Amino acid sequence: MSKPIQDNICESQLFERLYKKHAKNLHDFLHYKFGDQLCPQDKVQEAFIKLWQNCGKVSPNKAKSYLFTTANNLMLNAYTHQKVVLKYSKQPQNHISNETPEFVLEEKEYHLKLQKALSKLTEAQRVAFLMNRVEGKRFKEIAEVLNISVKGVEKRIYGALKKLREDIDEL
């Protein structure tokens, strides 16, 4: 039979007995009260950690009530936190930008210039250039897809870059 709990909780054997005696009941209490969503097993562990950290302050005859109160408070805190997270996840987020209207306008104008310059490229140059710069393919991969040599890909991309530099003075 187990000895009555009257010693110091800081003794590891007594603490282990407390754990074996109360852990399952504490878990069941939290599970029945809050369900499984808030991880009652984690809160049981946290409550025992808090008991261990405060073992000198808690008398052995108050250990059970300390554990249940602590675990219940941990669950309530987790529940409150979950409500706050849910509340803010439902609110529409304001997308604030530090960009000035002038910058946005310049960006649109530049994008239009780029599209116009890309349309002036030959189809071979445009395909090779976009595969490299947009899709991120290497010259060898482009050569395999287009069924040409790597040198042919290089020539097309470098020709496209030269023509784009001429058409877009900011590039």
Side-chain angles (χ1 to χ4, degrees), residues 8-42:
N8 186 355
I9 295 175
C10 294
E11 294 176 18
S12 60
Q13 291 177 344
L14 179 60
F15 189 82
E16 187 177 334
R17 269 190 269 136
L18 274 171
Y19 181 81
K20 288 179 181 178
K21 184 175 182 180
H22 298 297
K24 181 167 179 11
N25 292 336
L26 184 56
H27 175 269
D28 293 345
F29 167 74
L30 295 175
H31 176 73
Y32 297 144
K33 187 170 181 180
F34 297 99
D36 251 350
Q37 273 188 317
L38 299 174
C39 301
Q41 185 61 36
D42 291 348

Side-chain angles (χ1 to χ4, degrees), residues 82-97:
Q82 191 178 43
K83 279 176 49 177
V84 170
V85 168
L86 186 61
K87 176 185 173 187
Y88 284 103
S89 69
K90 288 183 179 180
Q91 288 183 348
Q93 300 295 318
N94 295 334
H95 296 287
I96 298 172
S97 174

Side-chain angles (χ1 to χ4, degrees), residues 48-59:
F48 274 98
I49 289 170
K50 286 189 181 284
L51 177 63
W52 181 256
Q53 290 169 343
N54 296 306
C55 65
K57 300 174 189 172
V58 180
S59 63

Side-chain angles (χ1 to χ4, degrees), residues 78-150:
Y79 179 74
T80 304
H81 176 72
Q82 191 178 43
K83 279 176 49 177
V84 170
V85 168
L86 186 61
K87 176 185 173 187
Y88 284 103
S89 69
K90 288 183 179 180
Q91 288 183 348
Q93 300 295 318
N94 295 334
H95 296 287
I96 298 172
S97 174
N98 292 338
E99 298 171 346
T100 63
E102 293 84 20
F103 176 79
V104 173
L105 183 62
E106 288 174 6
E107 186 179 34
K108 285 181 183 177
E109 289 173 356
Y110 180 79
H111 187 69
L112 289 173
K113 281 183 184 179
L114 178 63
Q115 291 303 317
K116 188 175 180 181
L118 284 172
S119 67
K120 289 182 182 177
L121 296 174
T122 66
E123 183 180 347
Q125 287 176 328
R126 187 173 46 254
V127 168
F129 178 78
L130 292 176
M131 286 176 82
N132 177 254
R133 299 300 162 107
V134 175
E135 295 178 19
K137 293 188 182 219
R138 299 184 183 274
F139 288 4
K140 185 177 180 182
E141 294 172 315
I142 297 169
E144 291 172 2
V145 170
L146 297 178
N147 231 4
I148 59 174
S149 69
V150 174

